[in-house]
Amino acid sequence: YQRRVHGTPFEPLQEYLKNICNAWNLDLFRIHVVSKGNALFDFGVAIFERFNIPAILDIDNETAATFLRNLELSYSASNPYHNSLHAADVANSVGFFLVNGLHAQLSHLETTALIVSALAHDVGHPGLNNPFMVATKTEVAMLYNDQSVLENFHVASLFKLLRIKEGNILSQLSPNDYRLFRRLCISSILDTDLQKHFIITNKFKGLLALGNSVADDEANKLTVLSVALKAADVGHGAKDLNLHKLWSRRVVEEFWSQGDIESRRNLPVSPLCDRKASNVAKSQEGFLKAIVLPLYEAFSEYLKSEAVTKSCVDQVKSNAVYWAEEATRESEGRSTFLEETNSVVSEIEEMKQATADKQSLIELSLL
C-alpha cells in the first residue's frame, strides 16, 4: 500500500528497506531520496511488518499507516538533525539491537513499545535544546517545570497523536496492556534526556556487576529499555565514518542555528552553538569518549553480541581516532570536516523546501 499512499516506486524502495534492522549502517539519506521525502513512513511500515506489530496490536494496516503518516508529519523538516530521518535511524538501531539478542528478552508488547518509542522519541522537536527552552521561559518549560522539558513534550505529543481515532494503534489493547505500554514509552523517552545520562548508565553498569536478571524485574527491564533507546539515540557515533560525519554535520548545523537565534535575541550563545568559535572535532571526540563509548561497551557486554561489538563498539573507537586526528588538523588550521560535508547544507535546505507544504498535526507553542 506504499504506492497508494504517496506514489513511491515500490521496487527501488524495497531494495533499500529489505535489510532494515539487520543492517547497522542503513543509509536513511538515500532512503529519503528514493521515498520522495517519506523515509520515516516507509521505514515505519517496514519495521512494523518486520516485527508483526499490526498483529500484536490487533489493528489493520490502514490504522498503522495513518499513525505513521501522522507521526512523520509531526516532525519538523526544518531541523537539520532532530527530524524524521533521525527518528527512523534511531528505530533501525533499536531494531538492530533487537535482532542481536534483545528481542528474546522482551515480550511482544515490550518490543512494540520500544519500537514506537524510538520512532516517536523526538516528535515535535523544535531544533532547540532544553537550556534554551528554560532560559527563554517557553510555555513548555513552564508546563514541565524546567525538568526534561522536550522529552516530556515528546511523550505527550506521541499520546496526543494516539488520540486521533483513525491512527490510534493502541485502540485494541486491554486497560492493563495500555497502562504498561504507556509506562514503557514514558520511561524510555524521558530517559533520553542527556542530563540523566550518567545516572542511568551507572545504574545499568550496577545491574551488570550484580548479574541481576531482567526478565522478572520490571524496574530492571525499564532500565534496559532506556539504555537501548539511549544507545540508539546517540548511535550515529557508532556508524560507519562516512555516515557518522554526515550526521555530525547535521548536529553542528542545528547547534549553530540555535546560536544564531541566541545572538539575534542578545542572549548568551550556548556552548557548541557559536559558529565563529566552535571546536567541532574536539567536542565530537569528547562526546564519543565520554558518552557514547562507555554506553556501548556496557550494552554490548549485556547483549553478549559479537555483531554489536564489531559493528558498534569498534566503530565508536575508530570514529574517536578520526576526531582526534581532525582536532589536530583543526588546531593547525587545516581541518577537512566542514569542506567534506558541505553537501549537507544544501540537503538541509532541500528538505525544508520539499516539505514546506506539510502541516504538522502538533501545535507547537514553544517559542
Side-chain angles (χ1 to χ4, degrees):
Y1 55 89
Q2 290 157 315
R3 281 191 299 252
R4 183 168 74 251
V5 175
H6 57 67
T8 299
F10 181 68
E11 289 183 6
L13 186 62
Q14 186 182 46
E15 184 66 23
Y16 281 103
L17 292 175
K18 68 181 181 181
N19 289 321
I20 66 161
C21 304
N22 293 320
W24 174 247
N25 291 297
L26 189 68
D27 189 347
L28 265 301
F29 303 114
R30 185 58 191 161
I31 291 173
H32 170 73
V33 173
V34 175
S35 68
K36 299 181 179 179
N38 296 278
L40 185 144
F41 174 84
D42 287 315
F43 174 86
V45 168
I47 198 170
F48 269 40
E49 291 177 351
R50 172 71 174 76
F51 288 95
N52 205 26
I53 288 176
I56 291 169
L57 297 177
D58 192 23
I59 57 173
D60 57 35
N61 286 337
E62 291 302 323
T63 300
T66 300
F67 167 72
L68 292 168
R69 170 62 69 222
N70 291 346
L71 186 64
E72 184 170 59
L73 287 171
S74 300
Y75 275 92
S76 173
S78 64
N79 295 341
Y81 181 72
H82 288 104
N83 53 40
S84 60
L85 294 185
H86 168 64
D89 187 59
V90 169
N92 184 69
S93 297
V94 160
F96 184 81
F97 300 148
L98 286 168
V99 301
N100 284 286
L102 186 59
H103 194 199
Q105 304 176 37
L106 304 177
S107 71
H108 292 316
L109 190 64
E110 290 162 346
T111 295
T112 301
L114 180 59
I115 291 169
V116 170
S117 294
L119 289 168
H121 79 284
D122 274 331
V123 64
H125 200 292
L128 302 161
N129 62 22
N130 278 334
F132 182 95
M133 297 288 108
V134 173
T136 56
K137 301 180 179 65
T138 58
E139 289 186 23
V140 286
M142 297 296 106
L143 179 63
Y144 297 118
N145 299 313
D146 299 348
Q147 303 299 307
S148 299
V149 174
L150 290 174
E151 292 75 21
N152 272 294
F153 177 73
H154 301 321
V155 178
S157 298
L158 166 61
F159 282 91
K160 182 178 180 180
L161 286 177
L162 289 169
R163 293 173 65 183
I164 299 173
K165 182 179 179 180
E166 294 78 8
N168 183 3
I169 60 173
L170 306 184
S171 61
Q172 300 304 308
L173 292 184
S174 69
N176 284 342
D177 283 347
Y178 175 83
R179 283 191 291 270
L180 173 60
F181 192 99
R182 179 167 163 79
R183 185 160 65 249
L184 295 170
C185 291
I186 291 172
S187 173
S188 58
I189 294 176
L190 289 186
D191 283 350
T192 60
D193 185 352
L194 279 176
Q195 291 295 315
K196 301 179 178 180
H197 176 81
F198 292 107
I199 295 173
I200 295 166
T201 303
N202 290 336
K203 181 180 180 181
F204 182 64
K205 289 180 178 179
L207 297 181
L208 291 178
L210 293 173
N212 285 6
S213 172
V214 170
D216 300 321
D217 188 301
E218 182 177 326
N220 288 350
K221 185 168 285 188
L222 287 173
T223 299
V224 170
L225 291 173
S226 289
V227 168
L229 186 54
K230 284 176 64 61
D233 195 20
V234 298
H236 78 81
K239 303 293 183 181
D240 173 83
L241 180 60
N242 289 331
L243 281 176
H244 171 52
K245 287 196 287 187
L246 295 176
W247 285 115
S248 296
R249 181 60 185 268
R250 286 174 171 270
V251 172
V252 169
E253 289 295 326
E254 192 164 296
F255 283 167
W256 287 349
S257 177
Q258 176 174 314
D260 294 343
I261 293 171
E262 290 168 332
S263 293
R264 289 196 297 270
R265 295 188 176 192
N266 295 316
L267 297 170
V269 176
S270 299
L272 309 178
C273 294
D274 189 346
R275 65 174 70 242
K276 298 177 182 178
S278 184
N279 191 328
V280 174
K282 188 174 180 179
S283 64
Q284 286 294 98
E285 180 191 4
F287 184 74
L288 293 191
K289 289 182 176 179
I291 301 293
V292 182
L293 183 57
L295 180 62
Y296 269 88
E297 286 177 331
F299 198 42
S300 176
E301 178 185 346
Y302 173 76
L303 291 176
K304 297 180 174 60
S305 167
E306 184 178 352
V308 172
T309 299
K310 288 185 175 180
S311 298
C312 306
V313 178
D314 293 348
Q315 189 63 51
V316 177
K317 294 176 181 177
S318 178
N319 291 345
V321 170
Y322 162 78
W323 288 115
E325 294 171 348
E326 180 68 5
T328 299
R329 291 191 290 269
E330 197 171 60
S331 68
E332 297 171 351
R334 54 187 185 89
S335 171
T336 60
F337 167 67
L338 294 179
E339 182 178 353
E340 290 172 351
T341 57
N342 266 337
S343 62
V344 170
V345 178
S346 58
E347 290 170 3
I348 291 169
E349 290 304 315
E350 288 172 7
M351 280 188 68
K352 292 179 183 178
Q353 294 300 319
T355 58
D357 60 336
K358 293 184 178 180
Q359 182 63 46
S360 172
L361 296 179
I362 296 176
E363 186 66 33
L364 295 179
S365 300
L366 289 174
L367 303 181

